[in-house]
Amino acid sequence: MSHLFEPFPLRSITMRNRIGVSPMCQYSCHEGFANDWHMVHLGSRAVGGAGLVVVEATAVTPEGRITDRDLGLWSDAHIEPLARCVRFIREQGSVPGIQIAHAGRKASRKAPWFGDQELTVAEGRWTTIGPSPLAFSDSYPAPEAMSVEQIQLMVQAFAKTAERALAAGFQSLEVHAAHGYLLNSFLSPLSNLRQDAYGGSFDNRCRMLLETVRAVRGVWPESLPLSVRLSCSDWVEDGWTLEDSIALALLLKDEAVDIIDCSSGGVSAEARIPVGANYQVPFADAIRRRTGMATGAVGMITQSMQADAIIRSGQADLVFIAREFLRDPYWPLRAQKELHAKTEGLVPVQYARAFPRQH
Ligand SMILES: Cc1cc2nc3c(=O)[nH]c(=O)nc-3n(C[C@H](O)[C@H](O)[C@H](O)COP(=O)(O)O)c2cc1C
């Protein structure tokens, strides 16, 4: 039976445990460049014992940023500052992963601590894009509907970014197709009203993501894992459902995707989401059982026993933890103690005197 501190081998890499740092935007960049904040933020979670550290949503084009302070990897100049973080994460024994993304119709915003608003013209607002000219909500502008040529260029932008992620030394790559951002907005019938090959039927709405994943897999080595984050439900009647996610996961499996990272929501401002402990775990469980793929569970996972139970019961292969990792970068070290797990070498030698029985 697997448990939280059992290693997780996948393709040619092995994560030392089942704990992943969920991607979390830091809104701390200038022109998309990683800096000392990212080094300390990501580095301390690797020091804290995470098996996998996934770098925040990283934009494939400048217009793909949620805010003007988002991380990007749209040029070769962005590689080295990230490579520095990657080297440190690897030195600590964690696997460095990165989520590549385009924010679509939810782009061009201010960082959250400046209020949930569009950037002003003076701040450099840009025109957003999406499958159809439908605004996310009253406080967002309607995006421009993408042409087929723009879609094809975007697929290439994802692939180019994956190549740069490889050059930076990342060992795991995640395509962000959740939370109402560009790829998710193509999937959902609520945001995609196109009548061409990229809209209408289920297959047509999945086309852009599948083309993206195929292009990304074409440049991302067979030896390294690829994951896709999905919003497994829109939480709206007539929206995207778990059954849709299972059908899509099977198509993604055929494209050599290894992990479905199971999140939800973000397409509709009207969604009523039953947020609570483990509220998205049933998605990870169902997709794992029905497709035979590895899954990641995320959302309100905060306790060591809770996380261990998810892995032990076979509901997911990995747990992704977000806000609890902001409260405690050393969460895995705490969990190891609470679960009496005996894992060699999780505590950095520099800290051994503080963890006498764990080292
Ligand atoms: C500050 C912050 C930034 C986030 N940024 C991202 C992101 O870049 N990509 C993403 O897929 N999810 C993002 N999320 C969502 C988290 O990855 C996670 O799915 C969500 O917070 C639920 O997990 P939790 O209950 O452990 O916080 C973010 C969440 C927070 C709190």
Side-chain angles (χ1 to χ4, degrees), residues 198-315:
Y198 291 93
S201 67
F202 172 83
D203 285 343
N204 281 358
R205 283 181 279 116
C206 293
R207 192 179 307 281
M208 183 178 185
L209 175 59
L210 291 169
E211 287 180 359
T212 301
V213 164
R214 196 169 303 150
V216 164
R217 222 348 151 188
V219 299
W220 188 249
E222 227 179 284
S223 56
L224 295 178
L226 178 63
S227 75
V228 173
R229 179 167 268 200
L230 293 180
S231 276
C232 297
S233 170
D234 284 339
W235 299 111
V236 175
E237 220 177 317
D238 302 326
W240 180 267
T241 65
L242 173 59
E243 286 303 315
D244 291 329
S245 300
I246 291 167
L248 171 58
L250 287 168
L251 300 174
L252 292 169
K253 188 178 183 182
D254 289 343
E255 301 295 339
V257 169
D258 302 297
I259 304 176
I260 304 293
D261 175 3
C262 300
S263 190
S264 71
V267 161
S268 169
E270 312 297 318
R272 303 182 76 149
I273 306 181
V275 177
N278 285 8
Y279 74 109
Q280 293 173 147
V281 173
F283 299 135
D285 184 26
I287 292 177
R288 190 172 190 267
R289 279 186 291 105
R290 301 266 300 274
T291 68
M293 296 176 81
T295 59
V298 66
M300 301 287 278
I301 301 167
T302 56
Q303 307 294 321
S304 54
M305 297 270 281
Q306 176 193 10
D308 193 50
I310 293 167
I311 304 298
R312 276 184 193 273
S313 60
Q315 291 173 293

Side-chain angles (χ1 to χ4, degrees), residues 21-27 55-58 66 99 101 112 174 176 178-179 181 229 261 263 275 279-280 298-302 320-327:
V21 178
S22 201
M24 280 181 281
C25 287
Q26 299 296 295
Y27 311 109
V55 172
E56 67 192 82
T58 301
I66 305 166
Q99 184 186 57
E174 176 162 287
H176 196 353
H179 303 166
Y181 298 119
R229 179 167 268 200
D261 175 3
S263 190
V275 177
Y279 74 109
Q280 293 173 147
V298 66
M300 301 287 278
I301 301 167
T302 56
F320 286 102
I321 293 175
R323 285 164 293 180
E324 191 62 14
F325 254 124
L326 298 184
R327 290 183 278 264

Side-chain angles (χ1 to χ4, degrees), residues 8 10 34 37 69 72 106 140 153 179 205 212 225 286 295 314 353:
F8 183 36
L10 200 54
W37 176 263
R69 293 172 168 236
K106 294 171 93 175
Y140 285 71
L153 287 172
H179 303 166
R205 283 181 279 116
T212 301
T295 59
R353 286 178 65 184

